[in-house]
């Protein structure tokens, strides 16, 4: 078996010069996404989660025609002989009791992605844009995905906006049959220790993905996947833990860095404890934090990790480390090649040689986890405190 690094949730900002993911940066084109993922981040697998959108599909077919994307036996597309590319869709559904949730649908080839796009046109108003509301239910969406040999993923499960367990229901079974789910994405403000306080999730594979809206955020969370080869069939086997395949490790942000970790007031910016008021003396502007939500809905006091659960490795993205400005970042990439290579191989002595004593020591401390957090919430990311 081989180990591959995968980020299964990356958006596209624009395609054919037109918006795709409204909240994503204009520089996050398909070409930039693929180049940055392969040559700057050092990933082996990506899911272009807007790959089923109309204009992105046109660009995908252009890259296939130009020979830059090559269909792979077993499914998927290979970018410049080094990066496996899966095509996906992020679809929004109304919750059964209110709210809305996002789901990921991944497909093994262009033909089935295009066929799914045609079905989406029957339940969505605008298939040029990402993350649009589909006027169907989760059972039908999962069925349409699986009919095309795709994979059906719960996206950012616990977030207060568009997270199934954070925004809609207290149990997966209140939204759909849990056996229809191929994997559950934890999201930036949670980790395995938090999620494994929900006993119903014990059989599910957890994935950690960037949900990147800009090239710099690609691989801020990623997965180390144990597979034989780079193709869609191997990815599916890894999610289902078949024949020795599986997720070997989840790499993710410290939950405190996530922008929805704690309940916070959007007006006075105060963190809010349960049953307490902020300075505004109202809960009208409070955004429910992931930690507080899980404290509410969990049926276990302590996490119970199933035997198949891999380690969750907390890390800090390189650009988020204090002192790593454009010059230091450039020197680091020149020395190590990619961001993931830095995380895997850098030690303090070599870091100091590359960027000097002060910045090198700070990066080394960050890689060792020697810091605390000012917790994030209500859309504001947490801050590192040394």
């Amino acid at each position: 078996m081989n180990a591959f690094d995968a980020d299964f949730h990356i958006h596209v900002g624009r395609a054919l010069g037109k918006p795709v993911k409204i909240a994503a940066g204009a520089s996050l084109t398909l070409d930039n996404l693929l180049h940055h993922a392969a040559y700057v981040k050092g990933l082996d697998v990506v899911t272009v989660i807007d790959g089923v959108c109309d204009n992105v599909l046109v660009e995908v077919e252009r890259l296939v025609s130009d020979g830059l994307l090559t269909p792979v036996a077993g499914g998927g597309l290979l970018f410049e002989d080094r990066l496996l590319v899966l095509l996906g869709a992020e679809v929004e559904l109304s919750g059964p009791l209110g709210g809305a949730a996002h789901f990921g649908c991944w497909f093994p080839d262009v033909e089935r992605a295009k066929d799914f796009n045609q079905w989406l046109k029957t339940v969505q108003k605008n298939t040029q844009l990402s993350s649009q509301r589909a006027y169907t239910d989760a059972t039908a969406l999962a069925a349409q995905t699986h009919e095309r040999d795709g994979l059906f993923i719960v996206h950012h499960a616990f977030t207060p906006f568009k997270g199934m367990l954070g925004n809609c229901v207290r149990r997966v079974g209140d939204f759909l049959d849990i056996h229809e789910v191929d994997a559950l994405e934890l999201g930036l403000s949670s980790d395995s220790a938090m999620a494994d306080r929900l006993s119903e999730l014990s059989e599910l594979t957890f994935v950690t993905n960037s949900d990147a809206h800009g090239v710099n955020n690609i691989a801020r969370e990623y997965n180390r996947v144990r597979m034989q080869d780079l193709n869609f069939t191997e990815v599916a086997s890894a999610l289902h833990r078949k024949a020795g395949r599986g997720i070997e490790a989840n790499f993710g942000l410290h939950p405190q860095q996530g922008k929805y970790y704690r309940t916070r007031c959007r007006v006075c910016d105060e963190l809010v404890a349960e049953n307490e008021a902020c300075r505004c003396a109202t809960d009208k502007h409070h955004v429910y934090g992931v930690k507080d939500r899980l404290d509410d809905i969990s049926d276990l006091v302590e996490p119970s990790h199933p035997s198949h659960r891999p380690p969750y490795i907390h890390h800090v993205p390189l650009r988020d480390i204090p002192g790593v400005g454009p010059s230091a970042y450039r020197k680091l990439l020149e020395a190590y090649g990619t961001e993931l290579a830095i995380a895997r191989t850098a030690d303090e002595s070599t870091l100091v040689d590359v960027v000097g004593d002060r910045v090198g020591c700070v990066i080394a401390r960050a890689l060792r986890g020697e810091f605390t957090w000012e917790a994030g919430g209500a859309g504001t990311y947490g801050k590192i405190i040394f």
Side-chain angles (χ1 to χ4, degrees):
M1 291 292 169
N2 301 300
F4 301 98
D5 292 320
D7 182 350
F8 296 117
H9 186 165
I10 307 175
H11 285 283
V12 174
R14 298 181 76 85
L16 301 181
K18 298 178 180 179
V20 178
K21 180 69 174 180
I22 298 297
S27 65
L28 188 54
T29 62
L30 180 60
D31 290 322
N32 287 345
L33 184 164
L34 299 177
H35 182 273
H36 213 79
Y39 295 104
V40 178
K41 299 296 182 174
L43 289 166
D44 303 300
V45 186
V46 296
T47 297
V48 180
I49 204 60
D50 300 328
V52 172
C53 294
D54 297 357
N55 292 336
V56 181
L57 274 171
V58 172
E59 293 199 347
V60 167
E61 292 190 296
R62 170 182 59 81
L63 291 175
V64 172
S65 178
D66 291 344
L68 294 174
L69 283 175
T70 307
V72 177
L77 301 162
L78 198 61
F79 172 66
E80 297 189 353
D81 295 323
R82 63 179 294 159
L83 178 72
L84 179 68
V85 180
L86 310 182
L87 301 179
E90 181 171 71
V91 180
E92 181 175 306
L93 297 177
S94 298
L97 305 173
H102 284 174
F103 297 89
C105 312
W106 311 347
F107 298 97
D109 51 46
V110 176
E111 290 70 25
R112 277 171 277 202
K114 289 174 68 176
D115 191 58
F116 185 76
N117 168 277
Q118 291 302 305
W119 174 77
L120 273 182
K121 290 182 186 299
T122 69
V123 294
Q124 276 185 349
K125 293 181 179 179
N126 188 349
T127 53
Q128 289 191 25
L129 296 177
S130 169
S131 314
Q132 297 299 289
R133 181 72 60 93
Y135 296 93
T136 185
D137 59 36
T139 298
L141 182 62
Q144 291 292 332
T145 302
H146 291 142
E147 283 177 15
R148 294 164 177 84
D149 300 315
L151 294 166
F152 185 71
I153 316 298
V154 176
H155 273 183
H156 40 73
F158 309 108
T159 55
F161 301 107
K162 317 303 183 184
M164 180 179 66
L165 293 169
N167 181 54
C168 298
V169 294
R170 299 174 67 90
R171 295 289 179 267
V172 175
D174 295 333
F175 208 113
L176 77 163
D177 183 345
I178 199 168
H179 298 99
E180 297 170 350
V181 176
D182 295 299
L184 180 139
E185 180 185 272
L186 295 175
L188 303 183
S189 298
S190 65
D191 60 14
S192 297
M194 296 169 68
D196 272 333
R197 290 176 58 203
L198 285 167
S199 59
E200 72 162 344
L201 305 183
S202 63
E203 291 304 311
L204 287 179
T205 293
F206 291 162
V207 289
T208 39
N209 302 315
S210 69
D211 191 6
H213 289 46
V215 291
N216 291 337
N217 286 332
I218 293 171
R220 60 182 172 181
E221 296 203 341
Y222 62 99
N223 312 270
R224 184 152 297 151
V225 189
R226 185 174 60 255
M227 304 185 294
Q228 188 68 45
D229 300 300
L230 280 174
N231 62 56
F232 184 92
T233 300
E234 289 280 317
V235 170
S237 294
L239 294 190
H240 294 139
R241 308 186 299 276
K242 291 182 177 179
R245 280 75 170 167
I247 303 297
E248 209 167 81
N250 295 114
F251 290 81
L253 305 183
H254 295 253
Q256 296 93 324
Q257 189 179 0
K259 62 182 180 178
Y260 298 118
Y261 178 65
R262 288 293 311 281
T263 301
R264 196 174 202 144
C265 178
R266 279 182 158 172
V267 175
C268 67
D269 203 35
E270 186 174 332
L271 291 176
V272 183
E274 186 178 3
N275 299 322
E276 289 186 5
C278 62
R279 288 192 295 271
C280 299
T282 175
D283 62 2
K284 182 178 179 180
H285 304 291
H286 292 178
V287 178
Y288 204 12
V290 170
K291 176 186 181 300
D292 306 295
R293 172 66 171 174
L294 278 166
D295 284 345
D296 179 30
I297 68 174
S298 294
D299 60 325
L300 302 174
V301 175
E302 298 294 331
S304 177
H305 299 301
S307 59
H308 67 81
R309 187 76 69 226
Y312 190 106
I313 300 172
H314 298 97
H315 76 124
V316 180
L318 188 61
R319 286 178 173 269
D320 292 345
I321 299 172
V324 180
S327 176
Y329 181 75
R330 185 173 60 253
K331 291 177 182 178
L332 289 163
L333 287 184
E334 289 172 354
Y336 292 95
T338 67
E339 286 194 26
L340 296 192
I342 295 167
R344 281 195 295 267
T345 65
D347 58 41
E348 187 163 345
S349 62
T350 57
L351 287 167
V352 166
D353 289 340
V354 173
V355 292
D357 288 346
R358 184 181 64 83
V359 177
C361 290
V362 170
I363 297 171
R365 288 180 64 190
L367 293 176
R368 293 193 298 263
E370 297 174 358
F371 52 83
T372 58
W373 287 101
E374 179 182 316
T380 300
Y381 286 99
K383 297 177 182 178
I384 296 177
I385 301 172
F386 282 99

